[in-house]
Amino acid sequence: MIFKGLFVQTEPSRRRYGLAFLIGIISGVVSGFVKWGAEVPLPPRTILDGRAEFNPPYLFLRDYLGIDPTATVYTFSEHIINPVMVTHVIFSVVFAIGYCVVAERFPKVKLWQGVMAGIIATVVVHGISFPLLGLTPPLTMLPLDEYISEIFGHIVWFWSIEIIRRDLRNRITHEPDAEVPLTAPYR
């Protein structure tokens, strides 16, 4: 079964929490652009219902943090940019730090190279949290396109976090991940 040993923990002496935090920042920034880019071919919200303009990050900033996203614009290469999309990168850094730190202790979080974490994030954030906070309509009112876009985007997002996490951790420590014995011939 997939979830057998879900809470098996790594040897405490092999954990590198400080490094995981640093790698979380790096992988969060890069994967934030991956997530953002995944929305180009598969936009998550339709134009007709107005939710493309007032997306969950916009509403979160406005309604929960009291920040007016329309007042904070900047210009780059003659384009007016609304930095509300930067919230994708900020949220990505937060999630990546959490993922990388948890992966040091609970290796099953890396199941399917992070794909399972992406699916879980989609369910918890878009399926439960956003509707409860009023940032999206109830799930029954969302178009299929939004489900497809968010699931695909989160899978690719967490997969990119895991690829960066594993590569940087292994390169910096010169060791395999904490759950892999140092004597393993395939490390």
Side-chain angles (χ1 to χ4, degrees):
M1 182 172 188
I2 294 173
F3 300 108
K4 184 179 181 189
L6 188 63
F7 296 105
V8 169
Q9 298 183 31
T10 59
E11 173 64 37
S13 65
R14 298 277 313 281
R15 298 175 190 155
R16 308 285 183 265
Y17 291 122
L19 182 59
F21 186 87
L22 175 64
I23 292 171
I25 293 170
I26 295 166
S27 64
V29 170
V30 174
S31 68
F33 285 97
V34 169
K35 174 67 172 93
W36 198 355
E39 292 185 359
V40 172
L42 300 172
R45 283 163 288 284
T46 60
I47 294 172
L48 294 178
D49 66 6
R51 291 184 54 243
E53 183 177 353
F54 301 109
N55 57 39
Y58 176 98
L59 295 173
F60 181 79
L61 288 173
R62 186 189 71 190
D63 298 347
Y64 288 91
L65 299 181
I67 298 170
D68 180 7
T70 60
T72 56
V73 296
Y74 66 93
T75 303
F76 181 81
S77 188
E78 300 178 359
H79 293 268
I80 296 173
I81 309 293
N82 183 340
V84 71
M85 295 309 287
V86 174
T87 58
H88 275 102
V89 177
I90 294 167
F91 288 132
S92 182
V93 168
V94 170
F95 275 89
I97 289 171
Y99 175 84
C100 291
V101 168
V102 169
E104 285 295 309
R105 185 169 189 151
F106 299 102
K108 282 286 188 176
V109 76
K110 302 178 292 186
L111 191 63
W112 304 331
Q113 291 189 329
V115 169
M116 179 57 83
I119 293 168
I120 291 169
T122 305
V123 171
V124 171
V125 174
H126 288 270
I128 299 170
S129 300
F130 281 1
L132 286 176
L133 292 171
L135 298 174
T136 62
L139 294 178
T140 56
M141 295 178 65
L142 295 177
L144 178 64
D145 296 357
E146 187 160 343
Y147 290 112
I148 293 168
S149 172
E150 293 298 351
I151 289 169
F152 174 76
H154 284 97
I155 285 171
V156 174
W157 175 37
F158 271 87
W159 184 46
S160 67
I161 293 170
E162 173 55 23
I163 290 169
I164 296 166
R165 184 210 63 78
R166 182 170 185 231
D167 184 70
L168 289 179
R169 186 195 194 281
N170 295 353
R171 284 176 187 267
I172 293 168
T173 64
H174 301 287
E175 296 178 353
D177 283 357
E179 73 276 10
V180 179
L182 291 173
T183 58
Y186 53 86
R187 62 185 198 114

